[in-house]
Amino acid sequence: MGLGKILIRLAASVALLFGIMWAIPQLAPPVPEPYEGVQVLPPVSPKPTGSTTSPPPLPPGFPSMNRPPPKIEVPAGQPQPIATKFGWTYEIPADWENQYDAFSEWTGEDGSTATYGALGLHGRFDCEGGEFQTSAITGMTGRRVGDLTVLAFQEVQKASMIFTNRDGSETPSVRISDPRYSEVDGEPAVRYSASVEDIPDTPDCPPPRATFDVVTTTGFATAEVAVFVVLADRDVEDALNDEDVDSLISTLRKSPVQ
């Protein structure tokens, strides 16, 4: 499955999977026509339907954001910061598409999902049937609680599902690196990288190969663990290289306290 095969779910589906993690501002304008395939969510219902269980409560006093922070406006030609609901901000280059209030989702045949919000999109192009495609995506999600290494490994394993063909009959070859331990803005961080090859041919214009980088660190709002991802087609026009991915990750920083 190509990077651009982005399945958008309505607020009720999001509530079913993630509670209110991906709610957006009620007055957000519709996404302009060129951004077909990545859409702004409607406001989440105050009483989500479809689930009878609630996620575990956050610790007392832990901040939680029901809506993403507003777009950070910068002069044209400047890197674009994207503030996320998890207390972290990262930057995308000036020529990327800033979809701070949208999310992307891939769904496996077994019902597993890979869902990320606060998106940066690079290399938009059209594919068969007018499908919206993009050659690189950055985004964030959160996890309620858990070991940084375990959660990063669980997330990077989703590379196989993301690039499996639509009916689940063909899967790519995936090589996952050893964990890399570091600090991000003074917080412990764990990074895994997956190299994806032998990607099945589909109508979604799959790349020859791809990489999927996952960084987990401390969450400061909405979830106790923040998960940052960079999903990148390789061996395509305007493809990111390893240095580009490293540079994107290096921009991660704690969001200013409001």
Side-chain angles (χ1 to χ4, degrees):
M1 181 179 298
L3 295 190
K5 186 58 180 176
I6 300 174
L7 305 180
I8 303 302
R9 295 291 181 263
L10 296 178
S13 298
V14 179
L16 174 61
L17 293 171
F18 296 101
I20 56 174
M21 287 181 62
W22 300 113
I24 66 157
Q26 184 172 2
L27 299 179
V31 177
E33 187 65 26
Y35 301 139
E36 178 185 358
V38 177
Q39 299 179 7
V40 174
L41 287 171
V44 71
S45 167
K47 295 182 179 180
T49 59
S51 175
T52 58
T53 59
S54 299
L58 291 165
F62 196 89
S64 184
M65 303 176 67
N66 293 343
R67 304 171 186 272
K71 184 177 182 180
I72 301 173
E73 300 291 346
V74 295
Q78 296 296 312
Q80 305 175 74
I82 299 179
T84 76
K85 293 171 54 176
F86 308 101
W88 288 92
T89 296
Y90 74 95
E91 286 184 0
I92 57 174
D95 60 346
W96 282 41
E97 298 177 16
N98 184 336
Q99 295 291 326
Y100 75 99
D101 56 356
F103 78 97
S104 63
E105 180 177 88
W106 293 261
T107 302
E109 287 296 304
D110 61 356
S112 60
T113 59
T115 308
Y116 310 107
L119 301 179
L121 306 179
H122 167 67
R124 181 175 61 86
F125 62 95
D126 294 326
C127 191
E128 297 179 24
E131 292 281 2
F132 172 85
Q133 306 288 333
T134 185
S135 60
I137 294 176
T138 54
M140 290 201 80
T141 187
R143 296 291 176 260
R144 169 62 182 82
V145 68
D147 180 84
L148 295 182
T149 302
V150 171
L151 293 176
F153 186 68
Q154 290 175 344
E155 202 67 32
V156 78
Q157 287 179 302
K158 295 179 181 180
S160 179
M161 179 266 287
I162 289 171
F163 290 100
T164 292
N165 67 348
R166 289 185 179 183
D167 63 9
S169 61
E170 297 180 74
T171 60
S173 300
V174 178
R175 246 184 10 260
I176 297 175
S177 69
D178 291 332
R180 283 172 277 181
Y181 298 95
S182 62
E183 288 190 352
V184 177
D185 202 2
E187 297 298 322
V190 180
R191 176 180 174 182
Y192 277 100
S193 300
S195 177
V196 187
E197 300 182 344
D198 302 321
I199 297 172
D201 189 23
T202 73
D204 305 320
C205 301
R209 63 186 186 95
T211 54
F212 184 43
D213 285 80
V214 173
V215 177
T216 53
T217 189
T218 306
F220 295 103
T222 312
E224 292 181 79
V225 176
V227 183
F228 179 68
V229 302
V230 181
L231 188 57
D233 288 352
R234 299 299 181 102
D235 300 334
V236 298
E237 185 177 358
D238 296 326
L240 302 187
N241 56 36
D242 292 345
E243 291 74 21
D244 294 327
V245 174
D246 291 344
S247 178
L248 288 163
I249 293 172
S250 73
T251 67
L252 276 169
R253 59 185 182 270
K254 297 172 189 173
S255 299
V257 177
Q258 299 298 320

